[in-house]
Amino acid sequence: MNDLHAIAARLDEAARQAVPIAQLAPDVALSLEEAYFVQRASIERRISRGERTVGVKLGFTSRAKMIQMGVDSLIWGWLTDAMLEEDGAQLALDRFIHPRVEPEVCFLTRRDIDRPLTLLEAAQYLEAVAPALEIIDSRYQDFRFSLEDVVADNCSSAGLTIGPWTRSFDGLGNAGVVMRVNGRVVQTGSCAAILGDPLRSLVQVSHLLSQSGLMLPAGSLIMAGAATAAVSLRPDSHVHCIVNGIGSTEFITHRGSS
Ligand code: OOG
Ligand code: MG
């Protein structure tokens, strides 16, 4: 029997101290169900310290990410208020282990999501969409994990910036994405890389929540998943992401303490 609460505590501490732990698999083989239990238990620890969930994120919604990380299924995790950074923020890197950044879009929901949605009705559940940058930081050594390991680790969630919200969803399905670091283009892609259309992320979230017997309240954030592979974050970097027709978001990293 795996002690799921003990695993949640180890992962939570690893994140708090910014010190990695050994990968769980193959020594500790969690089922996917157990992995989501660990994820929930680690979020409960954050909530008991005063953090608040603000929405959910999807992972591995693009081929580029699946190939980069060697996994082949979609996963989901929780976003808390402590992960939200101001657009344009200056971020100290010492609170992370080996952070990476990836370009995404973020949705703001307009209605409770309490049942499985179809693609046709998805847009009616949205208030707005914004360009986003996600900082992921696996709590496992060398950023290596099995699918169950990364689920237990709340899908490597660590931080995000969100650009200005817009209500124009036209063109989102195939909007071009460019991520720059210090002016140099490091990733290019299209929102079509996200399940063929990022709106499908909303559909997937609705199905995943309903399978778990959960409801997402109106006013929640949904990170659709990265459109391209992630890039390692270094100090003194200006990271900028533009999503054509939607907008841009950015942040600056520094070595110092937070
Ligand atoms: C897991 C998180 C994946 C995405 O957008 O695909 C993810 C990881 O790559 O460490 O956030
Ligand atoms: Mg992501």
Side-chain angles (χ1 to χ4, degrees):
M1 272 283 284
N2 293 316
D3 185 343
L4 303 181
H5 284 286
I7 297 170
R10 282 180 61 209
L11 282 164
D12 184 46
E13 270 311 296
R16 286 182 80 187
Q17 310 296 334
V19 175
I21 62 170
Q23 191 181 325
L24 303 176
D27 301 342
V28 182
L30 297 180
S31 68
L32 202 53
E33 208 185 335
E34 288 175 318
Y36 277 107
F37 182 93
V38 171
Q39 180 191 105
R40 184 71 221 181
S42 77
I43 296 300
E44 295 296 344
R45 295 175 67 90
R46 287 172 174 262
I47 290 170
S48 69
R49 290 196 296 270
E51 286 180 44
R52 195 166 54 81
T53 57
V54 292
V56 296
K57 65 166 273 184
L58 283 181
F60 306 134
T61 47
S62 65
R63 291 283 304 149
K65 280 290 301 187
M66 286 190 190
I67 290 166
Q68 182 180 35
M69 304 316 296
V71 295
D72 58 4
S73 298
L74 197 149
I75 58 176
W76 69 284
W78 294 96
L79 302 172
T80 75
D81 58 342
M83 299 173 191
L84 293 176
E85 301 293 345
E86 291 292 323
D87 192 15
Q90 307 244 358
L91 293 180
L93 292 187
D94 70 333
R95 64 180 226 241
F96 303 113
I97 301 166
H98 38 204
R100 296 179 179 178
V101 62
E102 51 193 26
E104 305 215 5
V105 292
C106 186
F107 294 117
L108 177 65
T109 62
R110 185 154 74 90
R111 294 158 68 170
D112 295 352
I113 298 180
D114 51 8
R115 65 182 177 86
L117 302 179
T118 65
L119 186 57
L120 274 177
E121 56 193 355
Q124 298 162 24
Y125 281 73
L126 292 177
E127 181 67 33
V129 62
L133 281 165
E134 184 179 27
I135 299 172
I136 50 171
D137 191 30
S138 177
R139 269 55 71 164
Y140 302 112
Q141 272 156 21
D142 305 326
F143 227 111
R144 289 168 62 94
F145 42 68
S146 69
L147 190 72
E148 291 78 14
D149 290 350
V150 66
V151 165
D153 186 25
N154 194 31
C155 310
S156 311
S157 307
L160 62 144
T161 64
I162 301 172
W165 294 105
T166 164
R167 295 173 69 96
S168 79
F169 296 98
D170 298 346
L172 174 67
N174 195 13
V177 176
V178 180
M179 185 164 75
R180 287 187 173 79
V181 175
N182 293 336
R184 196 169 62 86
V185 174
V186 291
Q187 289 289 351
T188 58
S190 159
C191 284
I194 307 167
L195 298 173
D197 180 339
L199 278 185
R200 287 213 175 83
S201 291
L202 180 66
V203 173
Q204 288 293 335
V205 162
S206 72
H207 286 253
L208 290 162
L209 288 169
S210 120
Q211 281 159 26
S212 309
L214 296 167
M215 174 296 247
L216 195 66
S220 295
L221 303 177
I222 298 176
M223 290 286 278
T228 71
V231 170
S232 291
L233 267 183
R234 315 228 173 278
D236 306 316
S237 298
H238 174 203
V239 184
H240 182 269
C241 159
I242 179 158
V243 180
N244 268 348
I246 303 291
S248 64
T249 181
E250 62 194 316
F251 64 83
I252 293 167
T253 64
H254 63 90
R255 203 178 290 278
S257 56
S258 19

